[in-house]
Amino acid sequence: MATLLYRLAHWSVRNSKKVIIGGVGILLALAVLALAMGPAFSDDLSMPGLKSQKAIEVLNKEFANPQGDGGKTRMVIKVPEQETLSSETAQAVIQKSLKEFAEDTQVKSVVGPYENHSLSANKTIAYIDVTYKTPAGEVTDESREHITDVADAMRFSGWKAELSGEAFVQMKILGPSEVIGVLIAFVVLAITFSSFLLGVLPIATAAVGLGVGLLGMMIGSNIVDIQSVALSLAAMLGLAVGIDYALFIVSRFRQQLAEGYERSESIAIANATAGSSVVFAAITVIIGLAGLSVVQIPFLTAMGLSGAFVVFVTMLTSIIMIPAVLADFGERISASSGNRWLKPRKRANHESNRWGRFVTRKPLIMVIAGVILLGTIALPFLHIELGLPDDGQKPTEKTERRAYDLLAEGYGPGFHSPLVVLARADGEGNFLENVSNVAKEMGTLPNVGSMSPAIPGPSGKLALINIIPATGPHDVKTKELVQSIRDQAPEILKKNHVELMVTGTSAVNIDISQKLNEALPKFCLVIVGLALVLLMVVFRSLLVPLKAVLGFILSLAATLGFSVFVIQDGHMGSLFGFYGTGTVLNFMPIIVVGILFGLAMDYEVFLVSRMREEYKKTGDAKKAVLAGMGHSGSVVTAAGLIMISVFTGFMLAEDPIIKSMGFALAFGILFDAFVVRMIIVPATMTLMGKSAWYLPKWLDRILPNLDIEGEAVMEKLKHPDSGVEKKESLQFSSKPNFE
């Protein structure tokens, strides 16, 4: 691999302008094609085969939707103090608003509070439902502005008027918050390289790779189903790894310059060594993402494969374009940079790094402290509750959050967790009488807030019963009510000849969470198994892969535990943009496993491969650990900070799903890069000593040699007949500050 990347780099250097123009050309061509075809992303997060999903299919078949598939917006209203919705004044205000809604030519129907019977018990709160002629994703900004103007007019009259619904609340794929993360990444890069120019280079190359990947996804969305949330996931991941991959290659390039190699040779060596690590790191991320298809859930498969595609494109961009860009910049990039704002930090040599010596001085204490810290953070994971986030977790400044609170005030918290029970005839007897008896039995169950009379379907063999629980969608009691109905279903079928099926928001969430919980162990086994094999091939060791996987499990447990502590339990929630307690995003654990696995192995490879490179030269295990920390420790630190910066930008997004994933990944990298890789890994490697690199000879013969460290290339460069001219080595003091 290293030899191929070495040759590829020389080719890129010789054809630098063609490579750069070609990369930008591909980006522009895809942009034109994507704009011509337009995006066709789906918002469907359903899973085939669920009990609740089957009930929805039966429901849709029996009760045709007269409103069609148009997008809907709901305006929740509350009268001024001392008034009620039954007064003539209130009715006049509502009728005026209904007429204003209908003035929008895109509106298909408007149903007021007196038609939909939505008046609350004290007649102060109600809602108006607006249905559009087009699906929610195609509702125009003008229509949203129009309904906002109507709400503003009611507020001016002293009413409360808040808006919600999929036609009004649009998920923003990329917004200004993501730019903040990129700016922080630029600052980290500029300080790391002591150069503003080199701070821009990784971001620029990452942007090209990310652009090609995302445009490819947009085009692909017209061919296969890809969820809109997958675009956000791929964007945050592609941007983060793209910047990190460029950081590692450029860092190694400057190290080779500092050691006296001429420019083109330094580029080639950097691509052969750091580039090999980039390829392997990308492969681990791709395996983690593509492995999501193992769980056989369509939307997770689409998210995983599309994310893997973007990472693959970003990796290709890194190993092809970065050598070309480095060659094209010429003398403007040197071994050590500096200006009046950014002065390079000098250090005698890599062995003098204080952090490495601090960690390796008392390694056992460091390992125990790291494990106790992450273990303590992981404890809340033991009571994790999975579900889907809703408007109740948004800040109160958002109109959809205020609408959520008004609905809970008017109709109780259970209004947000409605259950739909389908009763289907199964046998002889009077069906309606049997359904009535079933409804009475269900009414005695704990936590039933209210229940509608059974609504018979056109076939006469199916009836619909709406149940509003007494508790909200994130309350355990709501889930227990769903389970109670399902537990009694077999007895009811036997006694009353009525088959019960339960669906609705809470039922769907329960089924999805259960399916994901069942899939998670199988997914983890596949990921861990592949990790052990791949790391064994890379490091030619038995203990290093085992240590890497155990470290990953520690950082994963801490990530999920901290997510429960903040999102579910509500501690420090407002600090991170979570303004209400709720369940943890149900597919977040499996997504975090796939992504964090790949990123954790990235840092493991970049850090430990340098240790192995030094160990092969000296045979001194402790010196190898110090060398790895000295050469790669600060680069891994910078890479971790960049990842955290990018993910924090997505954590600041408005959409709860994107926010949850950004939050989990930001802290996952924090725990893995700064606790596991920078404390536990060097301490453990010191404790293991030479045994860390033990591999039975028979296994060594079987395993392929990928040459991640570029040993073959460096060995060839040592011989005079290789044709490589090596300048006089520079002093260590001239090395750049990223060491």
Side-chain angles (χ1 to χ4, degrees):
M1 182 188 295
T3 303
L4 291 175
L5 291 173
Y6 178 83
R7 293 171 181 169
L8 177 63
H10 271 302
W11 175 84
S12 293
V13 169
R14 290 194 302 271
N15 301 276
S16 59
K17 286 184 170 54
K18 292 179 181 179
V19 170
I20 294 171
I21 294 171
V24 175
I26 292 172
L27 179 65
L28 294 176
L30 287 175
V32 171
L33 182 59
L35 289 173
M37 297 179 68
F41 291 103
S42 167
D43 291 322
D44 182 23
L45 297 179
S46 62
M47 296 184 190
L50 301 179
K51 295 178 182 178
S52 52
Q53 190 64 35
K54 292 178 181 178
I56 290 174
E57 293 169 3
V58 173
L59 175 67
N60 292 336
K61 185 177 180 180
E62 181 76 11
F63 297 91
N65 183 7
Q67 300 294 344
D69 297 323
K72 293 179 175 60
T73 293
R74 172 168 288 176
M75 186 166 79
V76 188
I77 55 177
K78 183 177 182 180
V79 296
E81 292 185 11
Q82 310 304 321
E83 284 193 38
T84 64
L85 289 164
S86 58
S87 69
E88 292 183 4
T89 304
Q91 292 182 40
V93 171
I94 290 173
Q95 289 303 320
K96 179 176 179 293
S97 298
L98 294 177
K99 289 180 181 179
E100 291 175 348
F101 284 135
E103 290 174 1
D104 184 356
T105 56
Q106 294 300 309
V107 170
K108 182 177 182 178
S109 65
V110 182
V111 182
Y114 307 108
E115 289 79 30
N116 60 23
H117 308 290
S118 63
L119 274 65
S120 62
N122 60 6
K123 297 183 179 180
T124 60
I125 296 176
Y127 53 83
I128 301 169
D129 288 323
V130 179
T131 303
Y132 293 92
K133 297 175 183 178
T134 58
E138 298 176 16
V139 174
T140 63
D141 291 336
E142 289 76 12
S143 291
R144 284 190 282 272
E145 289 173 4
H146 178 78
I147 199 170
T148 301
D149 291 340
V150 176
D152 287 339
M154 293 191 73
R155 292 168 187 152
F156 186 76
S157 302
W159 289 60
K160 288 184 178 180
E162 307 299 343
L163 300 164
S164 66
E166 74 275 10
F168 181 79
V169 182
Q170 298 287 300
M171 186 180 80
K172 295 180 180 178
I173 303 299
L174 294 173
S177 61
E178 288 77 17
V179 177
I180 297 173
V182 175
L183 290 175
I184 298 173
F186 166 72
V187 173
V188 173
L189 287 166
I191 294 173
T192 301
F193 290 130
S194 300
S195 167
F196 291 120
L197 175 63
L198 283 177
V200 173
L201 190 152
I203 295 175
T205 54
V208 172
L210 177 64
V212 171
L214 294 185
L215 289 170
M217 284 182 63
M218 291 176 65
I219 296 168
S221 67
N222 291 275
I223 303 170
V224 296
D225 283 338
I226 301 177
Q227 284 64 35
S228 53
V229 70
L231 191 64
S232 297
L233 177 68
M236 75 168 84
L237 189 56
L239 184 60
V241 299
I243 296 174
D244 270 7
Y245 294 165
L247 166 67
F248 287 116
I249 294 174
V250 174
S251 297
R252 187 60 185 258
F253 161 68
R254 295 181 77 197
Q255 286 183 22
Q256 297 308 134
L257 283 179
E259 291 179 8
Y261 289 91
E262 65 91 22
R263 185 165 302 278
S264 62
E265 201 62 45
S266 296
I267 294 172
I269 293 172
N271 215 44
T273 53
S276 294
S277 296
V278 163
V279 171
F280 176 80
I283 289 172
T284 60
V285 177
I286 289 168
I287 287 173
L289 289 168
L292 290 171
S293 58
V294 172
V295 302
Q296 298 181 339
I297 296 172
F299 79 86
L300 281 180
T301 299
M303 290 172 69
L305 293 179
S306 56
F309 168 73
V310 171
V311 171
F312 177 72
V313 172
T314 304
M315 178 267 291
L316 286 181
T317 305
S318 300
I319 61 175
I320 296 174
M321 278 198 72
I322 291 175
V325 173
L326 290 174
D328 219 43
F329 272 106
E331 298 298 327
R332 281 171 288 181
I333 301 175
S334 61
S336 61
S337 303
N339 51 51
R340 56 180 175 174
W341 294 285
L342 299 172
K343 294 182 179 180
R345 173 172 52 86
K346 296 181 179 180
R347 184 167 58 215
N349 57 63
H350 62 258
E351 292 185 358
S352 67
N353 69 93
R354 283 180 287 182
W355 181 252
R357 291 197 172 277
F358 173 75
V359 172
T360 58
R361 186 176 296 119
K362 295 185 177 180
L364 184 59
I365 294 176
M366 291 292 104
V367 172
I368 293 173
V371 171
I372 290 176
L373 174 63
L374 294 182
T376 303
I377 297 172
L379 285 176
F381 173 66
L382 297 175
H383 62 271
I384 188 171
E385 293 288 338
L386 300 178
L388 281 173
D390 54 27
D391 291 339
Q393 291 172 275
K394 292 185 177 181
T396 53
E397 291 80 16
K398 295 292 180 183
T399 184
E400 58 265 32
R401 168 61 189 272
R402 295 195 295 267
Y404 184 96
D405 292 342
L406 278 178
L407 290 169
E409 178 188 341
Y411 313 105
F415 184 85
H416 297 295
S417 52
L419 301 178
V420 178
V421 179
L422 297 181
R424 184 162 58 183
D426 189 289
E428 299 179 356
N430 188 316
F431 174 62
L432 292 180
E433 184 179 335
N434 289 340
V435 169
S436 178
N437 293 333
V438 170
K440 289 178 182 178
E441 286 188 40
M442 287 194 297
T444 62
L445 292 174
N447 206 43
V448 174
S450 63
M451 180 185 297
S452 71
I455 304 171
S459 67
K461 299 293 184 181
L462 193 75
L464 183 152
I465 303 171
N466 290 307
I467 297 177
I468 302 296
T471 52
H474 307 305
D475 197 300
V476 176
K477 292 181 180 178
T478 303
K479 297 181 179 181
E480 290 174 351
L481 175 59
V482 174
Q483 198 58 49
S484 295
I485 296 173
R486 287 177 170 171
D487 289 343
Q488 290 195 7
E491 184 65 25
I492 288 173
L493 176 62
K494 183 178 179 181
K495 185 170 61 175
N496 297 294
H497 306 290
V498 173
E499 179 188 2
L500 294 183
M501 292 174 283
V502 187
T503 187
T505 306
S506 296
V508 170
N509 283 344
I510 289 171
D511 292 346
I512 291 176
S513 300
Q514 183 178 349
K515 182 76 177 288
L516 289 169
N517 282 336
E518 292 172 356
L520 188 59
K522 178 170 67 174
F523 176 61
C524 287
L525 283 175
V526 171
I527 291 298
V528 169
L530 286 172
L532 287 171
V533 174
L534 285 171
L535 292 174
M536 199 178 297
V537 170
V538 171
F539 296 126
R540 325 299 294 180
S541 165
L542 289 177
L543 294 180
V544 170
L546 183 62
K547 177 261 312 168
V549 169
L550 291 176
F552 161 67
I553 293 172
L554 261 179
S555 56
L556 174 65
T559 301
L560 296 178
F562 194 64
S563 298
V564 172
F565 182 76
V566 174
I567 299 173
Q568 182 178 311
D569 299 342
H571 302 293
M572 301 186 294
S574 58
L575 181 64
F576 301 107
F578 299 98
Y579 295 90
T581 58
T583 52
V584 174
L585 178 64
N586 50 27
F587 59 84
M588 189 182 77
I590 203 165
I591 288 287
V592 169
V593 169
I595 295 176
L596 192 59
F597 157 76
L599 300 180
M601 295 307 104
D602 279 6
Y603 298 136
E604 182 76 12
V605 169
F606 289 125
L607 190 63
V608 181
S609 62
R610 200 60 194 261
M611 294 179 187
R612 182 174 184 270
E613 186 178 342
E614 188 69 22
Y615 179 75
K616 292 286 288 184
K617 293 177 183 177
T618 65
D620 188 324
K622 186 170 183 178
K623 185 178 180 181
V625 173
L626 289 172
M629 293 292 289
H631 281 298
S632 301
S634 57
V635 182
V636 169
T637 299
L641 289 173
I642 290 167
M643 283 274 187
I644 293 170
S645 301
V646 173
F647 291 145
T648 298
F650 285 85
M651 184 179 72
L652 298 175
E654 295 179 2
D655 185 80
I657 293 178
I658 298 174
K659 180 186 288 292
S660 296
M661 291 193 295
F663 171 83
L665 291 173
F667 279 94
I669 295 300
L670 176 67
F671 298 141
D672 192 85
F674 293 96
V675 180
V676 174
R677 307 305 153 188
M678 296 303 292
I679 296 177
I680 296 178
V681 166
T684 305
M685 295 293 290
T686 303
L687 288 173
M688 289 192 295
K690 292 185 177 182
S691 62
W693 307 109
Y694 170 73
L695 184 70
K697 292 182 179 179
W698 64 268
L699 187 57
D700 186 48
R701 289 192 297 269
I702 295 173
L703 294 176
N705 190 356
L706 298 181
D707 190 19
I708 294 295
E709 298 87 4
E711 292 175 13
V713 171
M714 299 306 295
E715 185 65 28
K716 185 178 180 182
L717 292 175
K718 290 179 182 179
H719 293 87
D721 59 353
S722 64
V724 176
E725 293 182 2
K726 187 174 183 294
K727 297 179 182 178
E728 184 179 349
S729 298
L730 303 179
Q731 297 299 318
F732 280 111
S733 60
S734 67
K735 285 192 177 183
N737 70 321
F738 55 77
E739 289 187 7

